[in-house]
Amino acid sequence: MDVTTLIAAGGGPNVFTYFTQSNPAGKAIIFALAFFSVCAWAVMLGKYWELKRLRLYNLGFEQSLHRLSSILNAPSTFKAPKRVPYAALYSDAIEAYHRIDPKAGESIEQLRAARVEHVENALQRALANKTLSYESSMIFLATIVSGAPFFGLLGTVWGVMDAFGAVGLQATATLQNLAPGVSGALLTTVAGLCVAIPSVFGYNFLLSRTKVLVTELQNFASALADMIELESR
């Protein structure tokens, strides 16, 4: 059943009609774009809830930390789970502080300076690792944002090329012969944009949230280093 028959029957052309008019390469590209769309939505929703959960964990741990009378000698009942970014920074900082033992002939001031320097180095390493953890999956999402339109464009160019090639083999070239193939080819560009547009909004939103959390992490690391230095005096 061609497009004219469909319109006469009252159905009219639709997305499914265009899909059936696509060439095999276009159909494969549309299926691939549908898979990328599912992946993009899974990454965006998963990353959103991950960032939200980590921020709540961080705020809870920070409140618990402020209730301690001494952060260098916390009670054994104080929990610092590694899955919480603030707790991971705290654990690394305290371990680094107590790792430096006093040396013979070394003054208290020299020992304190060595320990503080060791803590700052440990915090820098932990901060870099947690920043990478915050930014995980963002590269994959950025790849979908930039690649989906080009993938759709590839299907369109391929489909248009096949459509003109098929019309060229016919004795008479009419718009009715050319239009179905072109319509099916353009569907891949539409599919690529339908994948890329939501993904770019989600990517920008998650990127802004990630930057906020990284800044909060940096501020906590700086405040923690100051607290350790003050308490060690």
Side-chain angles (χ1 to χ4, degrees):
M1 183 179 293
D2 58 15
V3 177
T4 305
T5 306
L6 285 171
I7 296 175
N14 52 48
V15 173
F16 298 103
T17 305
Y18 301 146
F19 177 77
T20 58
Q21 293 167 351
S22 299
N23 63 355
K27 293 178 180 177
I29 289 176
I30 290 173
F31 280 121
L33 288 170
F35 174 75
F36 292 153
S37 178
V38 172
C39 293
W41 278 104
V43 169
M44 287 188 292
L45 294 176
K47 195 66 180 179
Y48 170 77
W49 289 112
E50 177 190 355
L51 295 177
K52 185 176 181 179
R53 184 177 67 253
L54 289 178
R55 191 169 191 273
L56 292 176
Y57 286 161
N58 286 338
L59 293 176
F61 178 81
E62 188 174 17
Q63 292 175 359
S64 300
L65 189 65
H66 287 318
R67 288 195 291 265
L68 294 178
S69 58
S70 171
I71 62 173
L72 291 176
N73 298 287
S76 58
T77 57
F78 182 72
K79 303 297 183 181
K82 287 288 188 178
R83 71 176 183 276
V84 181
Y86 283 12
L89 264 65
Y90 170 78
S91 298
D92 289 349
I94 297 304
E95 290 175 5
Y97 182 87
H98 292 293
R99 195 178 298 130
I100 302 296
D101 296 324
K103 298 179 181 178
E106 187 179 39
S107 66
I108 296 178
E109 182 64 26
Q110 289 175 330
L111 175 62
R112 186 190 67 82
R115 283 178 168 175
V116 169
E117 182 180 1
H118 206 53
V119 166
E120 291 175 349
N121 292 335
L123 284 174
Q124 288 296 327
R125 291 190 297 269
L127 186 60
N129 291 331
K130 290 304 174 182
T131 300
L132 291 176
S133 177
Y134 277 149
E135 295 175 351
S136 63
S137 304
M138 296 299 291
I139 295 178
F140 175 75
L141 189 58
T143 302
I144 293 179
V145 168
S146 59
F150 290 103
F151 208 48
L153 183 60
L154 171 64
T156 294
V157 173
W158 198 331
V160 170
M161 180 178 63
D162 282 353
F164 276 104
V167 170
L169 297 177
Q170 298 178 5
T172 58
T174 64
L175 182 60
Q176 289 182 339
N177 295 332
L178 180 63
V182 174
S183 298
L186 291 174
L187 182 62
T188 58
T189 295
V190 174
L193 293 176
C194 287
V195 175
I197 291 173
S199 299
V200 72
F201 284 109
Y203 174 80
N204 289 333
F205 173 77
L206 292 174
L207 184 62
S208 64
R209 294 297 302 162
T210 300
K211 289 181 178 180
V212 169
L213 291 179
V214 169
T215 300
E216 291 178 351
L217 193 66
Q218 293 171 343
N219 292 338
F220 174 78
S222 177
L224 181 61
D226 291 341
M227 289 187 291
I228 291 175
E229 184 177 1
L230 291 173
E231 189 174 329
S232 64
R233 291 180 178 177

